[in-house]
Amino acid sequence: MTMQRTSDALIAELVGELRPVRPLRLAEGIALALAAAAVSAAAVIGLFGMRADWLAGRVDPMGLVATGMFLGLALAGIVTVVIMSRPQVGSDHGGWRWAAGMAGLLPVAGALVALIRGRDAFSAEAMEHGIECLAVGSAASLLVFAMLVMWLRRGAPTSPERAGLVAGMAAGASGIFAFSLHCPIDDIIHIGLSHSAVVAAMALAGRVLVPRLVRW
C-alpha cells in the first residue's frame, strides 16, 4: 500500500502542473503565413506604388512569369513548413522542390544571358537597382519569416535545418514577389540575379538561424 501511494503521489506531482496544449492546425498556420505575405505586399505597394505598366494594362510576359514563379515557390514553401511543424509518419516534405526547381531556372537563364551580353549587362544603374531590389525584397520577407519561425517553435520539426532552409526560401520568395509588384524591370538578368538573390539570401539565413531558435 505504501508503494502504491508513493507511486500515485509521484504521478500526481508529475502531471499536476501540466496544461493542455492547443493542437496545431495546418489551415491556421497557412492562413497566418499568407496573411503576413499579404500585409507585406500591401506595405510594398503602399510605400512604393504598383507597377505603372500593369496599372495601364501592359504586361510583359517575362515579368509576369517570373512573378508567378516566385508566388508559387512562396506558397509551396509555406505549406511545406507548416506541415514540417507537425511531423507524421509517412508525411511528404518534398513538394517544394518542384517549385524550387522551376524558379531555379531564372538565375540560370539570367547568368547565361549576362555572359552573352558581357559588360553591357552590368551598368551602374542596373547594379544600383539590383541592390535596391535585394534590400527591399529581403526586408519584405521578414514578416513571413517571423511568422513561420513562430509556427515552427510551436511545433516539433524533425529536421530544424531543413525546416529553416525552406522557411527562409518561402519568406524570400514572398518578399520578392511583393517587390515585383512594384519593380518595373523585366530583364531576365535583373530578375534572374537580383530577384533570385533575395530567395537565396533568406534561405541561407533560415538555414543558419532557425535551428538555433527551434528547440524541442
Side-chain angles (χ1 to χ4, degrees), residues 1 3 5 12 20 32 34 38 45 60 67-68 71 85 87 94 109-110 112 145 152 159 173 182 184 201-202 208:
M1 291 293 289
M3 179 66 70
R5 285 198 300 271
L32 288 173
L34 292 180
I45 294 173
D60 184 276
T67 302
L71 176 60
S85 68
L112 289 175
F145 185 69
L152 287 171
S159 177
H182 162 75
M202 291 301 298
V208 173

Side-chain angles (χ1 to χ4, degrees), residues 77-215:
I78 286 171
V79 172
T80 299
V81 171
V82 173
I83 292 174
M84 283 180 170
S85 68
R86 195 176 69 177
Q88 302 177 35
V89 176
S91 59
D92 183 14
H93 300 157
W96 63 274
R97 293 190 179 95
W98 293 99
M102 293 298 294
L105 295 175
L106 294 174
V108 172
L112 289 175
V113 175
L115 287 174
I116 294 172
R117 292 186 188 175
R119 293 183 179 179
D120 295 338
F122 299 102
S123 66
E125 182 179 359
M127 295 292 290
E128 181 180 353
H129 193 76
I131 293 173
E132 179 187 4
C133 287
L134 177 59
V136 179
S138 299
S141 307
L142 295 179
L143 184 59
V144 174
F145 185 69
M147 187 64 66
L148 292 176
V149 171
M150 180 202 72
W151 195 259
L152 287 171
R153 284 173 62 87
R154 289 181 57 186
T158 56
S159 177
E161 293 80 10
R162 183 169 56 178
L165 177 71
V166 180
M169 178 202 70
S174 68
I176 198 56
F177 164 76
F179 195 65
S180 293
L181 301 177
H182 162 75
C183 179
I185 300 179
D186 293 318
D187 184 74
I188 183 58
I189 297 177
H190 174 77
I191 292 174
L193 300 184
S194 297
H195 287 200
S196 297
V198 175
V199 180
M202 291 301 298
L204 178 60
R207 174 62 178 79
V208 173
L209 296 176
V210 170
R212 304 176 184 179
L213 300 174
V214 177
R215 303 289 184 188

Side-chain angles (χ1 to χ4, degrees), residues 30-50:
I30 294 171
L32 288 173
L34 292 180
V39 170
S40 298
V44 168
I45 294 173
L47 290 172
F48 301 97
M50 177 69 81

